[in-house]
Amino acid sequence: MRDVARLAGVATSTVSRALANPGRVNETTRRRILAAAEQLGYVPNAAARNLRVGASNIVMAVLSEPAIANGASQIVPEVLQTVAATLSDSGFNLLIAGRSRSAATETHIPDLAVGGIVRGAILIGAAEPPSFGRRSLAGAGIPVVSVLQDRSAAGIPSVVGNDREAMRDAVLHLIGLGHRSFFYIAGPAGSYHEAERFGGLADALAAAGLSERAVVRHGGGHSFQDGFQSGIRAARAYLARERRPTAAVACWDGAAIAFMSTVRAQGAAVPGDVSVLGFDGVPVGAFCEPPLTTLRQPTAELGAKAAEMLLALLDGDAAAPPLKTTLPNRLLVRGSTAGPRNARA
Amino acid sequence: MRDVARLAGVATSTVSRALANPGRVNETTRRRILAAAEQLGYVPNAAARNLRVGASNIVMAVLSEPAIANGASQIVPEVLQTVAATLSDSGFNLLIAGRSRSAATETHIPDLAVGGIVRGAILIGAAEPPSFGRRSLAGAGIPVVSVLQDRSAAGIPSVVGNDREAMRDAVLHLIGLGHRSFFYIAGPAGSYHEAERFGGLADALAAAGLSERAVVRHGGGHSFQDGFQSGIRAARAYLARERRPTAAVACWDGAAIAFMSTVRAQGAAVPGDVSVLGFDGVPVGAFCEPPLTTLRQPTAELGAKAAEMLLALLDGDAAAPPLKTTLPNRLLVRGSTAGPRNARA
DNA sequence: CTGTTAGCGCATTCAA
DNA sequence: TTGAATGCGCTAACAG
């Protein structure tokens, strides 16, 4: 920068101003400075700027345990992608703070915040609370937004899908087709999505005047399970039943896909013997046999919305963002659902 | 830090030493300093450290155009995940530098390097050259490693799968089953993987003494296409043919899955009428109808290896890394491939 | 509108 | 082994 100043025949502070506040400097000198900077291939030192300003232009994405890739689900990567793109368009960079294997390096997540490296954080579908040791992310004093998981109760603005309502409506659709008995394939116990989606199923049963016993719940252990594996195990349990429900509802597409594949391999027809409903809307569902009926999460919108909210927070917008923003999931009716065979009886 | 020094009754320089070079300071004073730091909840300011040292502990991942999520492929997210985990275990953070939508913010990718924000870069399967405008990443003087794509010709250490050999062997397997005519579903024209994989197919034909005309090549336009879409289009083209090859080989699993689903919907049997071979080894392939035979990329190993190489480079290891490291893909033979029907004739 | 000055928090010289 | 002093590159007061 000193070199640029020298070449342009001005002081370094003028260079700084010319680059940052185009308005506060004479147009001709500004041109001269820009030319000099161009000629010298000058690139501002971000570290120095961060130190001086006391803030960086990096935002941290805190991912959930199963992390970036998991089963068939591309939900997290899809959200991540829009978040990155949205931030990037505003000149922010995205730092991935996956939970590491060693607990020792875990601490560094909140440290990044108080250490001045990151300016804000976006929690993506993490099941764990955003606090580590005695230090909490929230306590670091940086803006935080959550997406895919509702943390509004903790005071964190959250952007989520209407999982509960969407699931309720989808199950009501199945009930409308004539189904009266359900097999539910649970996600990880205690997870937000699991609670919401099973809740939606329960809501639908209640709304239709069915007993809670109309649903058999399978899985939902505390240990994390790959989506496909849980689908396979669920299929085995389903096939072993004396009386098989006519519809299976999965918490994830991955489980639904593996369930479908497994029961068909054992001779059960889908949707003839059992209708299957997934959740997430992964693209590959359209190419399953039969194509999977599912609820598509608006991943791009979720990511964009969350990023925008964080950007607003970073801009110090006066208006506090709503604590909970809900975007609709969309029901994609495909071949894996139909009326039960004996519905016509 | 001044507060810590004061509380411990030492100079700030001693605090700095105590925290960085545990050996170069008296054990008792070190304890005192650590206690003080603990008590005050001191976290070093990373920006200041970066400025002073002239290097950060952030590594940048440059992703390819289709970016993080794409079709059925979780290759990039899987690699990204291991890369992030490996770096994290060594105290490095990962910054995502996806290509942004506006060309204006594109420049900032190499700028991150020369601006002192990032200390190294890892190119993940990007089709574009790692240079933007007149500035190139390579010219920024930071260590760079490429994974999923061979850039050794550009002097960049690369970690890749043995796509060509793996494809050759897989096709030889098909030839061994009796196939003599092939339908190839191409990936994006000019892409590294497309070239390697089609090359492997050609190698196999040559090795088996078959003519180049034993393969019909479909697709491979320059415009980027979603993997599923290209599979659907390929299926239409395949079905429209007078004489249909007995085996279809896809550059990606996504295309293979969509191809399989589409031809089956039109009455063609898999593998009865046509065997299908994919590439990537996405987990969902096991649950397709029929389960997809494919070549699995060693994503975790690729990511870990690339990250380790970058770490070695950052540590200033004397030994230059090999320019090209090749890890084996693994053939997963499943239900989508079998001998052609008339092979028995 | 522009130049001078000071200091962000840290690591590292050089003395002691 | 420790303290004092210096400067990394930049921005923001304050003067001019």
Side-chain angles (χ1 to χ4, degrees), chain B residues 265-328:
Chain B
Q266 300 299 320
V270 177
D273 294 320
V274 57
S275 283
V276 177
L277 170 68
F279 205 121
D280 275 353
V282 300
V284 77
F287 302 99
C288 289
E289 182 63 32
L292 182 66
T293 294
T294 185
L295 288 152
R296 167 139 70 209
Q297 294 201 64
T299 50
E301 291 81 358
L302 288 167
K305 185 70 187 167
E308 284 159 14
M309 284 177 52
L310 188 60
L311 287 172
L313 251 21
L314 293 176
D315 276 358
D317 265 21
L323 268 183
K324 182 169 176 180
T325 305
T326 305
L327 267 32

Side-chain angles (χ1 to χ4, degrees), chain B residues 212-224:
Chain B
E212 285 182 4
R213 293 198 313 262
V215 59
V216 175
R217 190 162 177 281
H218 176 271
H222 260 289
S223 66
F224 175 75

Side-chain angles (χ1 to χ4, degrees), chain B residues 123-207:
Chain B
L123 275 23
I124 304 189
E128 322 83 47
S131 89
F132 311 87
R134 358 173 255 309
R135 269 199 272 285
S136 78
L137 235 196
I142 62 172
V144 176
V145 167
S146 172
V147 62
L148 286 184
Q149 171 145 3
D150 183 10
R151 294 179 196 279
S152 58
I156 301 175
S158 305
V159 182
V160 295
N162 66 338
D163 289 20
R164 187 162 187 142
E165 291 71 28
M167 180 62 103
R168 191 200 55 203
D169 293 349
V171 173
L172 284 175
H173 168 77
L174 293 178
I175 292 173
L177 288 174
H179 293 278
R180 294 293 178 270
S181 59
F182 296 85
F183 185 78
Y184 178 75
I185 307 167
S191 89
Y192 167 74
H193 287 133
E194 163 60 21
E196 289 294 298
R197 294 169 188 181
F198 185 69
L201 170 55
D203 288 352
L205 298 184

Side-chain angles (χ1 to χ4, degrees), chain B residues 234-242 244 259 262-263 266-268:
Chain B
R236 294 209 190 104
Y238 175 83
L239 294 167
R241 293 191 69 81
E242 198 75 24
R244 299 178 183 170
F259 176 88
T262 308
V263 299
Q266 300 299 320

Side-chain angles (χ1 to χ4, degrees), chain A residues 118-209:
Chain A
V118 305
R119 174 100 168 274
I122 184 156
L123 276 23
I124 304 190
E128 321 82 49
S131 90
F132 310 87
R134 344 174 268 307
R135 269 199 271 285
S136 78
L137 235 195
I142 61 171
V144 176
V145 167
S146 172
V147 63
L148 286 183
Q149 171 144 4
D150 183 10
R151 294 180 195 278
S152 57
I156 300 175
S158 306
V159 182
V160 295
N162 66 338
D163 289 20
R164 187 161 187 139
E165 290 72 27
M167 180 61 104
R168 190 198 56 204
D169 293 348
V171 173
L172 283 174
H173 168 75
L174 293 178
I175 291 173
L177 288 173
H179 293 279
R180 291 295 177 271
S181 57
F182 296 86
F183 186 78
Y184 178 75
I185 307 167
S191 88
Y192 168 74
H193 286 133
E194 163 60 21
E196 289 293 298
R197 294 168 189 182
F198 185 69
L201 169 56
D203 288 353
L205 298 184

Side-chain angles (χ1 to χ4, degrees), chain B residues 1 13 16 42 45 52:
Chain B
M1 179 154 133
S13 54
S16 173
Y42 167 76
N45 180 312
R52 177 63 228 241

